[in-house]
Amino acid sequence: MPDSLPRPEDKAIAPAPLNVVVILNKGAGKNAAAEGSLPLDESLAAAFSAQGIAAEIVAPEPAGLTAAAEAALARARRKEIDAVVAGGGDGTIRSVAAVLADSGVPLGILPLGTLNHFAKDIGIPVDVDKAIGVIAERQIRAVDLGEVNGASFVNNSSIGIYPYMVLDRERRQKLRGMGKWTAMVLAFFRVMRAFPRRRIAVRADGATESLRTPCLFVGNNEYGTHVFSLGKRECLDAGALWLYVAHPKSPAAFLSLAVRIALGRIDAARDLTVLKVRSAEIAAAASRLPVALDGEVEILSSPLKYRIRPKALAVFAPLASAPETAKP
């Protein structure tokens, strides 16, 4: 743990006040829907102050998240602030984490998104006051980041069905004003009708495997496939990417796989090709591919070069919930 961030319970060193910049995504789910007597930025500043943290709130548009994170990192390097806090969903966390990676500057998380997968996996409460309490405890874990063609992700990346669904959902939202979930359901059925199965070559550990799949999923560390751990990660610092390549050849077979996954009855040998790697190259005939990164889609050039960045990100998180913890 950095010497500049003593824990409150450390009796030998009187903790200095913690100074942070909070980068609040204006488009985040809970942010956009927030209600209360005070504007969200004022109420958050008061909540931080109540726990002994001086917080400066900035609220850029989604397109300005990276620039805001870069400005905050520069201030941290000048010792003007101690940490950077990201308020939003997984996409917001990804944008700020990509800037802070390998800097040693701690990232605090306010789970203000819709699903908040990263916050849940690392043990941060979805209640905002409790999440601020985690930051106030000053416990820091070092966790891994995934990367593809220079773009970072904190949870997962995928090609195939899911990014096509996201693109179709965004089109429906923009052109028809649909709600997110309604648009996503309609996008799912449209993609199922087309059912794109892409031929890819997976190069990893000195071997190449040719596969045809509707979906390749790359996890930053291992995702559970059993009913009680479905879609969750028990460890975020094992230093490995996990590739899951779906086998179904038809929409019916894919839906059957989805049901088996939901019921915790997946047969990995039959349903998936699973690889544990530190890096991998995914080649396809197309020169550019839509790639999902923590729920957002970017168009990247083929081949896709994936790698794990071990313990690249310092995060305020409860140590007790972690199988392995960052050492001071």
Side-chain angles (χ1 to χ4, degrees):
M1 181 176 296
D3 292 339
S4 60
L5 297 176
R7 294 191 296 270
E9 67 271 19
D10 191 334
K11 303 302 183 181
I13 305 175
L18 195 63
N19 294 284
V20 304
V21 166
V22 180
I23 301 173
L24 193 64
N25 183 356
K26 284 186 176 180
K30 291 182 182 178
N31 187 0
E35 296 179 358
S37 58
L38 291 174
L40 184 60
D41 55 350
E42 293 183 26
S43 62
L44 281 177
F48 274 101
S49 180
Q51 302 209 43
I53 303 172
E56 177 183 334
I57 315 292
V58 297
E61 297 293 338
L65 287 170
T66 296
E70 289 171 345
L73 175 59
R75 293 183 61 186
R77 284 174 168 160
R78 294 195 299 267
K79 307 300 183 183
E80 297 173 4
I81 60 172
D82 302 305
V84 180
V85 178
D90 290 311
T92 302
I93 306 307
R94 177 177 83 90
S95 296
V96 179
V99 174
L100 298 185
D102 294 320
S103 70
V105 176
L107 171 66
I109 296 172
L110 299 182
L112 300 174
T114 304
L115 298 175
N116 304 304
H117 289 301
F118 183 72
K120 292 174 182 176
D121 285 350
I122 203 169
I124 294 172
V126 295
D127 178 84
V128 172
D129 287 333
K130 292 180 180 178
I132 294 173
V134 170
I135 298 169
E137 287 294 318
R138 309 189 191 198
Q139 308 261 31
I140 297 174
R141 287 179 59 187
V143 299
D144 303 337
L145 278 180
E147 184 182 282
V148 54
N149 290 17
S152 298
F153 55 95
V154 295
N155 296 324
N156 55 69
S157 171
S158 67
I159 63 174
I161 284 177
Y162 182 71
Y164 284 120
M165 286 173 55
V166 172
L167 291 174
D168 190 75
R169 181 203 74 200
E170 292 176 347
R171 179 185 63 83
R172 292 173 188 273
Q173 288 180 283
K174 181 177 180 180
L175 296 180
R176 303 182 185 180
M178 289 185 177
K180 180 177 180 178
W181 293 110
T182 299
M184 195 65 164
V185 170
L186 293 175
F188 172 77
F189 285 110
R190 181 178 181 182
V191 172
M192 282 295 101
R193 286 197 299 271
F195 198 67
R197 290 181 69 235
R198 187 179 296 278
R199 184 170 295 282
I200 58 173
V202 180
R203 304 185 183 109
D205 297 331
T208 300
E209 188 167 359
S210 181
L211 301 162
R212 190 171 176 85
T213 179
C215 179
L216 179 144
F217 178 96
V218 182
N220 172 15
N221 287 281
E222 183 179 10
Y223 274 77
T225 56
H226 299 291
V227 65
F228 295 113
S229 61
L230 181 64
K232 297 180 180 179
R233 294 167 293 172
E234 297 299 325
C235 180
L236 300 181
D237 59 0
L241 296 173
W242 284 71
L243 278 60
Y244 304 86
V245 185
H247 293 168
K249 298 179 180 180
S250 68
F254 186 83
L255 289 171
S256 176
L257 171 61
V259 170
R260 290 197 302 278
I261 290 175
L263 295 176
R265 296 178 180 176
I266 189 170
D267 182 339
R270 177 187 64 186
D271 298 321
L272 301 169
T273 294
V274 181
L275 300 171
K276 177 186 178 183
V277 300
R278 291 182 64 87
S279 64
E281 183 175 290
I282 314 298
S287 61
R288 292 169 66 80
L289 297 170
V291 180
L293 300 159
D294 296 330
E296 300 179 340
V297 175
E298 295 187 16
I299 307 299
L300 302 179
S301 298
S302 176
L304 303 176
K305 297 180 180 181
Y306 282 91
R307 70 179 180 119
I308 194 75
R309 299 173 64 180
K311 298 187 177 181
L313 185 65
V315 185
F316 290 111
L319 297 184
S321 65
E324 297 182 20
T325 61
K327 294 181 180 180

